[in-house]
Amino acid sequence: MQADIFCRVVDNYGDIGVCWRLARQLARDHGWDIRLWVDDLASFAHIQPGIDASAPRQQAAGVDIVHWSDAPDPALTPRDVVIEAFACDPPAAFVDGMRRSHPVWINLEYLSAEAWVESCHGLPSQRPDGLVKHFFFPGFTAATGGLLRESGLSAERDALQASAGLQDSFLRSAGVPDDALALRRDGARTVSLFCYPSAPAGELAQALAADSRPTLLLAPQGVAPGLETACQAPGAPRLVRLPFIAQPDFDRLLWCADLNFVRGEDSFVRAAWAARPLVWQIYPQEENIHLEKLDAWLARYPAPESAHALIRAWNQPESGDTSAAATAALAPDAWLAWIAAARLWDASQSALPGLAENLAAFCADLAKKR
Ligand code: TRH
């Protein structure tokens, strides 16, 4: 199958994070010939070393990458399948070409745990110009498009999690100094922190300082800028700032941590595959719509109530509940229950067909009916 994937980088890295992962997996696991159109190559280069932010055209991981500029090359005509990520509207001239060839047209939606997703997943939308666009919703049940998960992930994760030595050498390569690695060997809890500026990270640092177990806190440069101050108190976490690392290495960071604070969409899914306790900061939206989406996911996440309370507090910083909630969620019995729940969450979700597999089957079926 030959496909075009269009990705417009709204902000942060999630849009390109999801599209790049999908493109690679359709090419590698399903043998698709993928042409990925990306408007912001600078953001792309942030998560994929080797991407040339100034190149109009380049190849990487078996994917043909086109810089989506204001004047797309008219020679690049629509292929069998056009995947528009997050309703990013392909170029008008390209859509004109689609009217002639009538490709399978998919709108890949944002991930949500809400129940209505199941009733909308896969629905067609007939346009006045005769083109039909189908809506493809990622999700957490068999009645949705599923979650992006490449084959072989569990084995790779289990191999790293089984070896303290492999984890040390990976973390060292990511920029964690040896004295910080020694804390892990002395039993410190490793926490990774990837959050939006609104997250109550100072309150989290307070709770970790009060915890009897020392903490190694790994945070990307620029995330939670107040942490340096918050981590100066006695007993406070040992903070290590990491550079932005390539997407595959970001996965490994999550696999090495005991607890992952993640955000948005892609790191949220990747933390599930780490099979470790996770706290999700959902992308904030107006009128607290994001809290409804958060509750829909919490209803599915099998962690103990103490973990749910921490996740709610983390997403409602004005509540001031994060410090107390973190202390409760990290108490020995609650922590052990959360660890077991994290393994269950990975096992139950990875038992479902993955998004790339579902999308490939969905498009092949539609292509036959063209
Ligand atoms: O960056 P995000 O906040 O992206 C968000 C979400 O995708 C959200 O749904 C969308 O509406 C908004 O953008 C516009 O969070 P997310 O989704 O986790 O994407 C971050 C990507 O960056 C993810 O693929 C992991 C990757 N990453 C690295 O590759 N290296 C790193 O060092 C870090 C910190 C992240």
Side-chain angles (χ1 to χ4, degrees):
M1 193 76 85
Q2 293 204 318
D4 286 292
I5 300 179
F6 284 88
C7 174
R8 190 184 300 282
V9 177
V10 172
D11 65 7
N12 302 311
Y13 300 96
D15 304 292
I16 184 58
V18 168
C19 292
W20 179 226
R21 210 181 285 287
L22 175 63
R24 287 203 315 270
Q25 193 175 352
L26 285 172
R28 191 195 71 171
D29 291 357
H30 298 276
W32 282 31
D33 176 355
I34 299 286
R35 190 162 60 190
L36 173 63
W37 302 64
V38 185
D39 62 345
D40 176 356
L41 289 176
S43 292
F44 192 179
H46 233 85
I47 67 168
Q48 179 57 53
I51 293 294
D52 175 351
S54 61
R57 199 78 179 271
Q58 60 196 299
Q59 301 281 331
V63 174
D64 176 5
I65 297 159
V66 179
H67 177 224
W68 180 0
S69 66
D70 296 336
D73 179 349
L76 302 181
T77 52
R79 294 175 144 190
D80 310 322
V81 175
V82 175
I83 297 170
E84 169 189 354
F86 316 123
C88 64
D89 286 333
F94 189 88
V95 176
D96 287 344
M98 290 167 69
R99 285 191 195 96
R100 288 190 287 280
S101 59
H102 281 264
V104 170
W105 187 359
I106 300 289
N107 186 59
L108 177 64
E109 292 287 340
Y110 284 116
L111 173 61
S112 171
E114 293 160 298
W116 59 264
V117 164
E118 291 189 342
S119 54
C120 294
H121 172 60
L123 289 187
S125 160
Q126 177 80 41
R127 289 166 36 117
D129 63 4
L131 282 170
V132 179
K133 189 190 294 193
H134 281 80
F135 291 87
F136 195 89
F137 282 83
F140 300 93
T141 73
T144 68
L147 301 174
L148 271 174
R149 181 188 175 97
E150 57 278 12
S151 54
L153 185 146
S154 302
E156 209 188 323
R157 176 204 59 211
D158 292 347
L160 185 60
Q161 291 185 336
S163 163
L166 285 177
Q167 291 174 52
D168 271 2
S169 43
F170 164 70
L171 290 170
R172 192 175 291 115
S173 74
V176 181
D178 280 342
D179 68 311
L181 291 176
L183 288 176
R184 282 166 52 89
R185 283 194 290 278
D186 296 343
R189 180 188 285 118
T190 303
V191 178
S192 78
L193 179 62
F194 180 47
C195 59
Y196 295 112
S198 59
E203 280 194 48
L204 171 67
Q206 260 173 11
L208 294 174
D211 191 273
S212 57
R213 192 175 172 192
T215 298
L216 171 60
L217 186 57
L218 306 177
Q221 280 144 11
V223 164
L227 266 183
E228 270 72 6
T229 315
C231 289
Q232 273 157 13
R238 166 68 196 274
L239 172 62
V240 172
R241 286 284 183 186
L242 298 176
F244 219 86
I245 53 182
Q247 222 180 24
D249 287 339
F250 182 71
D251 275 351
R252 293 186 186 95
L253 178 70
L254 298 177
W255 299 347
C256 291
D258 300 299
L259 171 60
N260 290 303
F261 284 75
V262 288
R263 74 185 205 192
E265 179 166 330
D266 194 53
S267 62
F268 167 48
V269 173
R270 305 317 283 182
W273 305 146
R276 293 278 164 86
L278 73 90
V279 174
W280 178 35
Q281 188 181 8
I282 190 167
Y283 187 71
Q285 290 178 286
E286 274 77 48
E287 288 105 52
N288 280 347
I289 309 169
H290 59 293
L291 296 181
E292 286 164 33
K293 290 177 182 290
L294 181 71
D295 281 341
W297 172 71
L298 284 171
R300 299 179 191 279
Y301 185 51
E305 182 42 40
S306 51
H308 282 206
L310 172 54
I311 294 166
R312 283 200 175 87
W314 187 248
N315 283 276
Q316 290 172 276
E318 65 290 350
S319 69
D321 295 341
T322 292
S323 193
T327 301
L330 298 179
D333 293 348
W335 175 240
L336 287 174
W338 197 0
I339 287 171
R343 289 199 189 106
L344 182 63
W345 180 240
D346 168 63
S348 60
Q349 288 299 316
S350 55
L352 294 168
L355 189 146
E357 180 186 349
N358 287 331
L359 184 59
F362 186 73
C363 291
D365 188 43
L366 288 173
K368 271 188 233 130
K369 296 172 184 164
R370 269 173 67 194

